Amino acid sequence: MSKMRTVDAAVAILEKEGAIEAFGLPGAAINPFYSAMRAHGGIRHTLARHVEGASHMADGYSRAKDGNIGICIGTSGPAGTDMITGLYAAWADSIPMLCITGQAPVAKLHKEDFQAVDIESIAKPVTKMAMTVLEPGQVPGAFQKAFQLMRSGRPGPVLLDLPIDVQQAEIEFDIDTYEPLPVEKPKASRKQLEKALDMLTAAQHPLIVAGGGIINAGASAQLVELAEILNVPVIPTLMGWGTIPDDHQLMAGMVGLQTSHRYGNENYLQSDFVIGIGNRWANRHTGGLETYTAGRKFVHIDIEPTQIGRVFSPDLGIASDAGAALAGLVELAKERKAAGSLPDYTAWVAECQDRKGSLQRKTHFENIPIKPQRVYEEINKSFGRDTTYVSTIGLSQIAGAQMLHVFGPRKWINAGQAGPLGWTGPAALGVVRGKPDETVVALSGDYDFQFMIEELAVGAQFNLPYIHVVVNNSYLGLIRQSQRGFNMEQNVSLAFDNINSTHLSEDTRGYGVDHLKVAEGLGCKAVRVEDPNDLAAAFDKAKTMMGEFQVPVVVEVILEKITNISMGVEINAITEFEDLAAKGEDAPTAIIALLD
């Protein structure tokens, strides 16, 4: 055994647990930890401009690749409170992330010392564990437990708070004898899965609802294999988008009130059985439960037992890791296929494909200012199958989910449940850290973009290139649309005449913030587009600049100020505000070409 500071032990544990990517801001109360990282050298650190931004970077890094756990580090007091939104976003979407804060000395915690706040109590509701470590000897065990909890059951974030005297205390520790704790995940029994498969094969129009738990389990290939053996269509949730490629014949579309496809909702409404795997039955997916559940039976498989029955009671609930359940279902399905006992769902699959090829929204508009639908059409044309999209909330995200195409797991990265404005930019930087050799495209409205715009400088400083598409209508577009029910537009306009940007056209100057000037001032490159026919060239230019300068490139698209995006209060009553696609040229990048 050797004697060392607790922080030196902690950093050695991070490396052994495979968590070597950190994002944060140093400060007095966390400086000992930073000195340990410097001495050790095995943890790469990215300096953020805001601690909330650092938390979203760590979150994005965790979401980028199977097994990743991003680390967010900050000092005492406001650094910890700044992390709360990031912790909430990770907790809500079941993302493992480790937040580490400095703290006042243990003896000062009850004395209202400078920047001493009870971050443990504040963080507990949005973490799997929040702990102020009061004894030096507890530090190795606290980190060991943190990693076990982050990886076990439903994944999620942890916060460890380290008083400065605890950080500097010496303990006996030997990293060679340290071992990670076993990860605990429930596994469905054969009997449970046989019952689930019996129920599915008794149905005429079954569907598989594929949730984010499948992506968390790294089990998308098994999901596709199961669907292909059974020949049963798949409805991915927003968090499960990419579990099956959009152009797979069994991908039946997304369902919901906002981030959904017309054909997805209609396919779902024609089903008589649904097996949900690794999903939560989120309200923006289901809409009214009476409509969603009427006339169909349900099996719900989820890693967290208390999620089963939380929204509605299924006909069969199974607590299991999605990967383990899918492995068992694949084995059973293969046995039954070999025995010739699986039903033939060819006609049902053909019905779903017919709807996919006919129920489409129009994307091809020539309007100036640009209609947002055209932006996503051009993105589909300009970026390939390996593109990873990052977004969080707003009409930009909703329209993107309706019109973009995703071809694999972890290629749609979205803060789905919390939806914090400002998440997109810093999360994209974390994704670039996790996917350094892939094309990353972020999608924001102007307000989401402005929330944490300072983090662009992080991308410039650390050469983290990605393309940030900003659709600018100088409005809080989603809130403006939701205020229609109140017959008002209250506090939702961002427009003003920008007297400092005389190089802009008179109309564009009236949109307010000059995002190009801000982006360039923060060390990035930027392009503005006002004509839809210039979008393709702008994306090509952005790709060239991203490669040449290795910094974020902003593509700002000036939209018409008022656009209402398709949505509703029930999945069978979605309001379509725009003309629908009537011929192939109306939706030229649709997965299945619309027949004229």
Side-chain angles (χ1 to χ4, degrees):
M1 298 289 284
S2 57
K3 206 157 195 177
M4 64 180 70
R5 295 179 305 167
T6 63
V7 287
D8 294 310
V11 170
I13 290 169
L14 293 179
E15 185 180 45
K16 193 158 189 178
E17 292 279 4
I20 56 173
E21 201 74 54
F23 308 83
L25 284 74
I30 196 64
N31 273 339
F33 193 91
Y34 272 85
S35 72
M37 285 198 297
R38 179 181 177 85
H40 182 78
I43 311 298
R44 181 165 60 177
H45 181 271
T46 301
L47 176 66
R49 296 300 190 268
H50 190 294
V51 185
E52 182 185 338
S55 70
H56 297 328
M57 291 174 202
D59 183 3
Y61 174 79
S62 292
R63 296 177 195 242
K65 190 177 294 185
D66 291 353
N68 279 6
I69 294 182
I71 308 164
C72 175
I73 307 173
T75 190
S76 57
T81 57
D82 284 344
M83 293 178 192
I84 297 301
T85 300
L87 285 165
Y88 169 40
W91 174 81
D93 288 342
S94 307
I95 305 300
M97 177 175 75
L98 178 60
C99 286
I100 301 169
T101 52
Q103 181 58 277
V106 172
K108 300 282 190 178
L109 292 181
H110 68 293
K111 296 181 182 291
E112 297 188 359
D113 210 42
F114 177 67
Q115 292 190 336
V117 67
D118 185 2
I119 194 64
E120 175 184 314
S121 296
I122 295 170
K124 273 185 176 177
V126 289
T127 56
K128 294 191 76 173
M129 178 177 84
M131 177 183 182
T132 298
V133 185
L134 301 177
E135 295 292 337
Q138 288 185 299
V139 168
F143 277 82
Q144 189 180 37
K145 185 66 175 177
F147 280 100
Q148 182 189 42
L149 286 173
M150 284 187 285
R151 293 170 172 146
S152 292
R154 180 183 179 184
V158 166
L159 181 139
L160 294 178
D161 186 42
L162 305 177
I164 190 167
D165 52 336
V166 171
Q167 292 179 59
Q168 298 181 98
E170 291 194 337
I171 58 172
E172 294 287 344
F173 182 73
D174 183 358
I175 190 62
D176 292 334
T177 62
Y178 174 92
E179 293 294 339
L181 293 175
V183 174
E184 300 170 357
K185 295 181 179 179
K187 180 180 179 180
S189 69
R190 183 180 176 91
K191 185 175 182 180
Q192 288 174 316
L193 297 177
E194 285 177 338
K195 176 66 173 176
L197 202 52
D198 288 344
M199 293 173 66
L200 184 152
T201 55
Q204 292 184 318
H205 298 147
L207 287 174
I208 301 169
V209 169
I214 295 173
I215 292 176
N216 284 346
S220 297
Q222 290 93 325
L223 178 277
V224 174
E225 185 179 10
L226 176 66
E228 289 176 344
I229 295 168
L230 298 173
N231 198 29
V232 168
V234 176
I235 297 282
T237 66
L238 183 65
M239 298 306 297
W241 196 12
T243 49
I244 186 169
D246 273 7
D247 58 353
H248 195 289
Q249 67 169 354
L250 294 175
M251 201 294 201
M254 286 195 291
V255 170
L257 305 181
Q258 295 178 336
T259 54
S260 61
H261 302 110
R262 293 182 66 219
Y263 54 87
N265 281 348
E266 190 58 35
N267 283 333
Y268 179 86
L269 290 167
Q270 298 304 314
S271 70
D272 60 359
F273 171 86
V274 177
I275 179 169
I277 305 174
N279 66 307
R280 295 186 300 104
W281 312 116
N283 66 302
R284 292 191 178 188
H285 166 80
T286 66
L289 293 178
E290 186 173 340
T291 299
Y292 189 84
T293 59
R296 52 191 63 86
K297 291 185 179 295
F298 290 87
V299 171
H300 189 196
I301 300 175
D302 195 87
I303 198 167
E304 173 51 51
T306 63
Q307 286 293 114
I308 298 169
R310 181 184 289 262
V311 178
F312 62 85
S313 294
D315 297 277
L316 174 65
I318 301 172
S320 177
D321 169 68
L326 284 166
L329 286 168
V330 166
E331 181 181 350
L332 288 173
K334 284 180 176 177
E335 292 174 7
R336 296 191 186 191
K337 184 175 183 178
S341 60
L342 290 178
D344 183 0
Y345 291 118
T346 303
W348 168 230
V349 171
E351 283 181 39
C352 292
Q353 283 291 93
D354 286 346
R355 295 187 190 98
K356 190 173 183 178
S358 59
L359 300 177
Q360 295 174 7
R361 295 184 173 107
K362 182 176 179 178
T363 60
H364 195 78
F365 295 90
E366 296 284 351
N367 304 52
I368 299 175
I370 300 170
K371 293 187 76 67
Q373 293 87 347
R374 179 66 181 275
V375 180
Y376 302 101
E377 175 186 309
E378 296 295 338
I379 290 174
N380 284 333
K381 290 179 182 178
S382 295
F383 295 95
R385 296 177 65 89
D386 291 332
T387 302
T388 296
Y389 295 105
V390 182
S391 191
T392 182
I393 197 166
L395 291 183
S396 54
Q397 174 246 18
I398 293 167
Q402 290 180 10
M403 298 166 199
L404 291 176
H405 305 315
V406 173
F407 297 103
R410 300 192 186 276
K411 294 191 180 300
W412 171 261
I413 294 179
N414 181 211
Q417 176 69 1
L421 283 165
W423 183 90
T424 306
L429 295 170
V431 172
V432 173
R433 275 294 196 216
K435 295 184 170 189
D437 300 319
E438 297 188 25
T439 300
V440 176
V441 176
L443 308 169
S444 287
D446 41 316
Y447 205 45
D448 173 49
F449 184 61
Q450 289 175 24
F451 251 58
M452 303 207 80
I453 198 168
E454 76 283 346
E455 302 306 321
L456 284 174
V458 177
Q461 179 178 354
F462 293 93
N463 298 120
L464 301 173
Y466 75 97
I467 293 174
H468 203 135
V469 180
V470 179
V471 285
N472 181 3
N473 61 1
S474 72
Y475 259 110
L476 310 187
L478 177 57
I479 307 308
R480 181 209 54 75
Q481 184 169 335
S482 71
Q483 287 185 355
R484 294 170 69 250
F486 297 93
N487 297 312
M488 68 176 187
E489 284 188 13
Q490 181 69 28
N491 302 116
V492 290
S493 175
L494 299 171
F496 61 91
D497 187 19
N498 192 328
I499 60 174
N500 293 310
S501 290
T502 54
H503 65 287
L504 301 180
S505 66
E506 185 174 345
D507 288 340
T508 307
R509 197 181 311 149
Y511 273 59
V513 173
D514 187 339
H515 296 111
L516 268 63
K517 275 189 173 182
V518 177
E520 290 172 349
L522 290 167
C524 301
K525 291 292 183 179
V527 181
R528 180 177 286 116
V529 186
E530 298 188 49
D531 185 321
N533 295 309
D534 294 335
L535 282 164
F539 291 138
D540 285 344
K541 183 177 182 180
K543 285 184 275 188
T544 298
M545 290 193 297
M546 184 175 64
E548 180 180 356
F549 298 105
Q550 292 294 296
V551 298
V553 180
V554 175
V555 179
E556 181 189 45
V557 184
I558 303 300
L559 299 186
E560 61 182 8
K561 289 189 175 182
I562 304 296
T563 305
N564 294 310
I565 301 298
S566 306
M567 64 182 72
V569 295
E570 294 283 354
I571 60 173
N572 63 351
I574 301 300
T575 301
E576 301 290 343
F577 295 95
E578 303 288 346
D579 292 339
L580 298 172
K583 51 188 183 297
E585 64 190 42
D586 291 338
T589 60
I591 288 293
I592 298 179
L594 189 69
L595 296 177
D596 293 351

